Amino acid sequence: EVQLVESGGGLVQPGGSLRLSCAASGINFGNFWMSWVRQAPGMGLEWVANIKEDGSEKYYVDSVKGRFTISRDNAKNSLYLQVNSLRADDTAVYFCARVRRGGYFEYWGQGTLVTVSS
Amino acid sequence: QSALTQPASVSGSPGQSITISCTGTSSDVGGYNYVSWYQHYPGKAPKLIIHEVSNRPSGVSNRFSGSKSGNTASLTISGLQAEDEADYYCSSYRSGNTYVFGSGTKVTVL
């Protein structure tokens, strides 16, 4: 059974940091690109970052460049998102997803909520 | 990196067909056959329903179909059912290994 389980979200003050995690099972994790996608309250989905199978390539949406870092540990079947210098507009549910050739997000987790507020 | 344009809402009666549009540019929707569609119930994980413009994953109802013309992709739901009431998002690959989602469409079954 495919499972992606995010964790690490919470309430953080502006300027603060968090490390989000995504534990994968049943999806042959190390053979696929992975992504983070977020959804702010009342808003639509927004792609945040991608990482190649071996971690050698990483891409980000402009609004998080220099503040967020995507990484992975294939030995632990885990994906991470280090989020620094958080702003109020980073408040969102953060989803991890497996990316397939053909440019689509095949499997998704349930998400973890990050709230940035003082 | 602006979102793809979708209508905010579409509604239909049970049994009817509805179509949701997704308009981008030649740098995303028009430039690649990498348009996908997702069904999202609030509080749940989004679900892939169409990939690469018109392909349905195994297990997805054949009432869902996708197409593309120029910079606009479309999702059609035929034989509308109460369970189809959800939010729907398109997505497209963009150059440079980046992606963009649509603004989202709320489907209401009357």
Side-chain angles (χ1 to χ4, degrees), chain B residues 12-18 61-64 76-84 109:
Chain B
S13 300
Q16 286 187 329
S17 292
I18 61 170
S61 171
N62 60 8
R63 298 184 300 102
F64 295 96
T76 297
I77 308 175
S78 57
L80 199 62
Q81 299 179 0
E83 67 203 47
D84 299 331
V109 181

PDB file of all heavy atoms in Angstrom, chain B residues 12-18 61-64 76-84 109:
ATOM      1  N   GLY B  12     -23.617  21.886 -12.052  1.00  0.00           N
ATOM      2  CA  GLY B  12     -24.454  21.112 -12.961  1.00  0.00           C
ATOM      3  C   GLY B  12     -25.382  20.204 -12.184  1.00  0.00           C
ATOM      4  O   GLY B  12     -25.139  19.919 -11.012  1.00  0.00           O
ATOM      5  N   SER B  13     -26.392  19.740 -12.843  1.00  0.00           N
ATOM      6  CA  SER B  13     -27.342  18.800 -12.234  1.00  0.00           C
ATOM      7  C   SER B  13     -26.848  17.380 -12.397  1.00  0.00           C
ATOM      8  O   SER B  13     -26.045  17.098 -13.310  1.00  0.00           O
ATOM      9  CB  SER B  13     -28.719  18.954 -12.875  1.00  0.00           C
ATOM     10  OG  SER B  13     -29.227  20.255 -12.699  1.00  0.00           O
ATOM     11  N   PRO B  14     -27.291  16.491 -11.531  1.00  0.00           N
ATOM     12  CA  PRO B  14     -26.897  15.079 -11.692  1.00  0.00           C
ATOM     13  C   PRO B  14     -27.207  14.568 -13.089  1.00  0.00           C
ATOM     14  O   PRO B  14     -28.277  14.845 -13.640  1.00  0.00           O
ATOM     15  CB  PRO B  14     -27.739  14.374 -10.627  1.00  0.00           C
ATOM     16  CG  PRO B  14     -27.979  15.412  -9.587  1.00  0.00           C
ATOM     17  CD  PRO B  14     -28.124  16.708 -10.345  1.00  0.00           C
ATOM     18  N   GLY B  15     -26.239  13.858 -13.671  1.00  0.00           N
ATOM     19  CA  GLY B  15     -26.408  13.308 -14.998  1.00  0.00           C
ATOM     20  C   GLY B  15     -25.912  14.206 -16.115  1.00  0.00           C
ATOM     21  O   GLY B  15     -25.657  13.728 -17.230  1.00  0.00           O
ATOM     22  N   GLN B  16     -25.765  15.473 -15.831  1.00  0.00           N
ATOM     23  CA  GLN B  16     -25.276  16.398 -16.853  1.00  0.00           C
ATOM     24  C   GLN B  16     -23.766  16.276 -17.010  1.00  0.00           C
ATOM     25  O   GLN B  16     -23.083  15.625 -16.216  1.00  0.00           O
ATOM     26  CB  GLN B  16     -25.629  17.843 -16.467  1.00  0.00           C
ATOM     27  CG  GLN B  16     -27.077  18.218 -16.641  1.00  0.00           C
ATOM     28  CD  GLN B  16     -27.311  19.704 -16.401  1.00  0.00           C
ATOM     29  OE1 GLN B  16     -26.607  20.337 -15.593  1.00  0.00           O
ATOM     30  NE2 GLN B  16     -28.299  20.268 -17.086  1.00  0.00           N
ATOM     31  N   SER B  17     -23.257  16.947 -18.053  1.00  0.00           N
ATOM     32  CA  SER B  17     -21.820  17.042 -18.264  1.00  0.00           C
ATOM     33  C   SER B  17     -21.370  18.476 -18.000  1.00  0.00           C
ATOM     34  O   SER B  17     -22.090  19.424 -18.339  1.00  0.00           O
ATOM     35  CB  SER B  17     -21.452  16.663 -19.693  1.00  0.00           C
ATOM     36  OG  SER B  17     -21.666  15.299 -19.923  1.00  0.00           O
ATOM     37  N   ILE B  18     -20.206  18.615 -17.415  1.00  0.00           N
ATOM     38  CA  ILE B  18     -19.625  19.935 -17.225  1.00  0.00           C
ATOM     39  C   ILE B  18     -18.180  19.916 -17.717  1.00  0.00           C
ATOM     40  O   ILE B  18     -17.546  18.856 -17.768  1.00  0.00           O
ATOM     41  CB  ILE B  18     -19.654  20.388 -15.746  1.00  0.00           C
ATOM     42  CG1 ILE B  18     -18.848  19.425 -14.868  1.00  0.00           C
ATOM     43  CG2 ILE B  18     -21.087  20.532 -15.245  1.00  0.00           C
ATOM     44  CD1 ILE B  18     -18.630  19.924 -13.459  1.00  0.00           C
ATOM     45  N   SER B  61     -12.725   6.807 -12.732  1.00  0.00           N
ATOM     46  CA  SER B  61     -13.923   6.635 -13.539  1.00  0.00           C
ATOM     47  C   SER B  61     -13.731   7.190 -14.951  1.00  0.00           C
ATOM     48  O   SER B  61     -13.126   8.251 -15.149  1.00  0.00           O
ATOM     49  CB  SER B  61     -15.098   7.339 -12.875  1.00  0.00           C
ATOM     50  OG  SER B  61     -16.225   7.366 -13.732  1.00  0.00           O
ATOM     51  N   ASN B  62     -14.289   6.481 -15.936  1.00  0.00           N
ATOM     52  CA  ASN B  62     -14.211   6.963 -17.318  1.00  0.00           C
ATOM     53  C   ASN B  62     -15.178   8.124 -17.572  1.00  0.00           C
ATOM     54  O   ASN B  62     -15.303   8.609 -18.700  1.00  0.00           O
ATOM     55  CB  ASN B  62     -14.454   5.826 -18.318  1.00  0.00           C
ATOM     56  CG  ASN B  62     -15.814   5.174 -18.146  1.00  0.00           C
ATOM     57  OD1 ASN B  62     -16.654   5.644 -17.394  1.00  0.00           O
ATOM     58  ND2 ASN B  62     -16.018   4.065 -18.840  1.00  0.00           N
ATOM     59  N   ARG B  63     -15.841   8.585 -16.528  1.00  0.00           N
ATOM     60  CA  ARG B  63     -16.655   9.805 -16.655  1.00  0.00           C
ATOM     61  C   ARG B  63     -15.764  11.056 -16.701  1.00  0.00           C
ATOM     62  O   ARG B  63     -16.231  12.133 -17.066  1.00  0.00           O
ATOM     63  CB  ARG B  63     -17.642   9.909 -15.499  1.00  0.00           C
ATOM     64  CG  ARG B  63     -18.645   8.780 -15.435  1.00  0.00           C
ATOM     65  CD  ARG B  63     -19.684   8.984 -14.321  1.00  0.00           C
ATOM     66  NE  ARG B  63     -19.101   9.064 -12.997  1.00  0.00           N
ATOM     67  CZ  ARG B  63     -18.921  10.190 -12.333  1.00  0.00           C
ATOM     68  NH1 ARG B  63     -19.269  11.358 -12.862  1.00  0.00           N
ATOM     69  NH2 ARG B  63     -18.392  10.163 -11.119  1.00  0.00           N
ATOM     70  N   PHE B  64     -14.505  10.878 -16.338  1.00  0.00           N
ATOM     71  CA  PHE B  64     -13.542  11.983 -16.386  1.00  0.00           C
ATOM     72  C   PHE B  64     -12.731  11.879 -17.673  1.00  0.00           C
ATOM     73  O   PHE B  64     -12.182  10.820 -17.976  1.00  0.00           O
ATOM     74  CB  PHE B  64     -12.593  11.943 -15.182  1.00  0.00           C
ATOM     75  CG  PHE B  64     -13.271  12.177 -13.863  1.00  0.00           C
ATOM     76  CD1 PHE B  64     -13.677  11.095 -13.082  1.00  0.00           C
ATOM     77  CD2 PHE B  64     -13.504  13.458 -13.399  1.00  0.00           C
ATOM     78  CE1 PHE B  64     -14.298  11.301 -11.864  1.00  0.00           C
ATOM     79  CE2 PHE B  64     -14.121  13.675 -12.177  1.00  0.00           C
ATOM     80  CZ  PHE B  64     -14.535  12.594 -11.411  1.00  0.00           C
ATOM     81  N   THR B  76     -13.528  17.352 -18.614  1.00  0.00           N
ATOM     82  CA  THR B  76     -14.962  17.140 -18.729  1.00  0.00           C
ATOM     83  C   THR B  76     -15.378  16.036 -17.765  1.00  0.00           C
ATOM     84  O   THR B  76     -14.735  14.978 -17.726  1.00  0.00           O
ATOM     85  CB  THR B  76     -15.372  16.771 -20.156  1.00  0.00           C
ATOM     86  OG1 THR B  76     -15.063  17.868 -21.033  1.00  0.00           O
ATOM     87  CG2 THR B  76     -16.865  16.484 -20.238  1.00  0.00           C
ATOM     88  N   ILE B  77     -16.411  16.312 -17.013  1.00  0.00           N
ATOM     89  CA  ILE B  77     -17.018  15.297 -16.149  1.00  0.00           C
ATOM     90  C   ILE B  77     -18.401  15.023 -16.726  1.00  0.00           C
ATOM     91  O   ILE B  77     -19.260  15.917 -16.792  1.00  0.00           O
ATOM     92  CB  ILE B  77     -17.155  15.774 -14.687  1.00  0.00           C
ATOM     93  CG1 ILE B  77     -15.821  16.310 -14.160  1.00  0.00           C
ATOM     94  CG2 ILE B  77     -17.641  14.624 -13.810  1.00  0.00           C
ATOM     95  CD1 ILE B  77     -15.915  16.917 -12.756  1.00  0.00           C
ATOM     96  N   SER B  78     -18.594  13.799 -17.178  1.00  0.00           N
ATOM     97  CA  SER B  78     -19.889  13.427 -17.746  1.00  0.00           C
ATOM     98  C   SER B  78     -20.690  12.627 -16.722  1.00  0.00           C
ATOM     99  O   SER B  78     -20.126  12.052 -15.787  1.00  0.00           O
ATOM    100  CB  SER B  78     -19.700  12.619 -19.025  1.00  0.00           C
ATOM    101  OG  SER B  78     -18.918  11.471 -18.760  1.00  0.00           O
ATOM    102  N   GLY B  79     -21.997  12.618 -16.887  1.00  0.00           N
ATOM    103  CA  GLY B  79     -22.849  11.896 -15.948  1.00  0.00           C
ATOM    104  C   GLY B  79     -22.605  12.334 -14.518  1.00  0.00           C
ATOM    105  O   GLY B  79     -22.376  11.514 -13.633  1.00  0.00           O
ATOM    106  N   LEU B  80     -22.649  13.633 -14.297  1.00  0.00           N
ATOM    107  CA  LEU B  80     -22.300  14.223 -13.000  1.00  0.00           C
ATOM    108  C   LEU B  80     -23.007  13.518 -11.845  1.00  0.00           C
ATOM    109  O   LEU B  80     -24.209  13.211 -11.911  1.00  0.00           O
ATOM    110  CB  LEU B  80     -22.671  15.704 -13.026  1.00  0.00           C
ATOM    111  CG  LEU B  80     -22.025  16.630 -12.004  1.00  0.00           C
ATOM    112  CD1 LEU B  80     -20.509  16.666 -12.184  1.00  0.00           C
ATOM    113  CD2 LEU B  80     -22.618  18.028 -12.137  1.00  0.00           C
ATOM    114  N   GLN B  81     -22.235  13.229 -10.792  1.00  0.00           N
ATOM    115  CA  GLN B  81     -22.771  12.562  -9.607  1.00  0.00           C
ATOM    116  C   GLN B  81     -22.490  13.411  -8.370  1.00  0.00           C
ATOM    117  O   GLN B  81     -21.555  14.225  -8.367  1.00  0.00           O
ATOM    118  CB  GLN B  81     -22.148  11.172  -9.447  1.00  0.00           C
ATOM    119  CG  GLN B  81     -22.418  10.241 -10.603  1.00  0.00           C
ATOM    120  CD  GLN B  81     -21.769   8.882 -10.429  1.00  0.00           C
ATOM    121  OE1 GLN B  81     -21.109   8.604  -9.434  1.00  0.00           O
ATOM    122  NE2 GLN B  81     -21.986   8.005 -11.424  1.00  0.00           N
ATOM    123  N   ALA B  82     -23.261  13.180  -7.333  1.00  0.00           N
ATOM    124  CA  ALA B  82     -23.098  13.947  -6.097  1.00  0.00           C
ATOM    125  C   ALA B  82     -21.668  13.858  -5.555  1.00  0.00           C
ATOM    126  O   ALA B  82     -21.128  14.830  -5.033  1.00  0.00           O
ATOM    127  CB  ALA B  82     -24.093  13.464  -5.056  1.00  0.00           C
ATOM    128  N   GLU B  83     -21.047  12.697  -5.719  1.00  0.00           N
ATOM    129  CA  GLU B  83     -19.690  12.500  -5.201  1.00  0.00           C
ATOM    130  C   GLU B  83     -18.638  13.291  -5.975  1.00  0.00           C
ATOM    131  O   GLU B  83     -17.491  13.388  -5.531  1.00  0.00           O
ATOM    132  CB  GLU B  83     -19.322  11.020  -5.258  1.00  0.00           C
ATOM    133  CG  GLU B  83     -19.186  10.482  -6.675  1.00  0.00           C
ATOM    134  CD  GLU B  83     -19.375   8.980  -6.758  1.00  0.00           C
ATOM    135  OE1 GLU B  83     -20.356   8.486  -6.170  1.00  0.00           O
ATOM    136  OE2 GLU B  83     -18.550   8.321  -7.404  1.00  0.00           O
ATOM    137  N   ASP B  84     -19.023  13.873  -7.107  1.00  0.00           N
ATOM    138  CA  ASP B  84     -18.073  14.670  -7.880  1.00  0.00           C
ATOM    139  C   ASP B  84     -17.926  16.078  -7.320  1.00  0.00           C
ATOM    140  O   ASP B  84     -17.068  16.843  -7.777  1.00  0.00           O
ATOM    141  CB  ASP B  84     -18.528  14.775  -9.344  1.00  0.00           C
ATOM    142  CG  ASP B  84     -18.607  13.421 -10.030  1.00  0.00           C
ATOM    143  OD1 ASP B  84     -17.842  12.504  -9.636  1.00  0.00           O
ATOM    144  OD2 ASP B  84     -19.426  13.267 -10.952  1.00  0.00           O
ATOM    145  N   VAL B 109     -22.747  20.172  -7.398  1.00  0.00           N
ATOM    146  CA  VAL B 109     -23.801  19.356  -8.013  1.00  0.00           C
ATOM    147  C   VAL B 109     -25.129  19.842  -7.450  1.00  0.00           C
ATOM    148  O   VAL B 109     -25.369  19.749  -6.248  1.00  0.00           O
ATOM    149  CB  VAL B 109     -23.579  17.864  -7.729  1.00  0.00           C
ATOM    150  CG1 VAL B 109     -24.673  17.034  -8.387  1.00  0.00           C
ATOM    151  CG2 VAL B 109     -22.207  17.436  -8.222  1.00  0.00           C
TER     152      VAL B 109
END
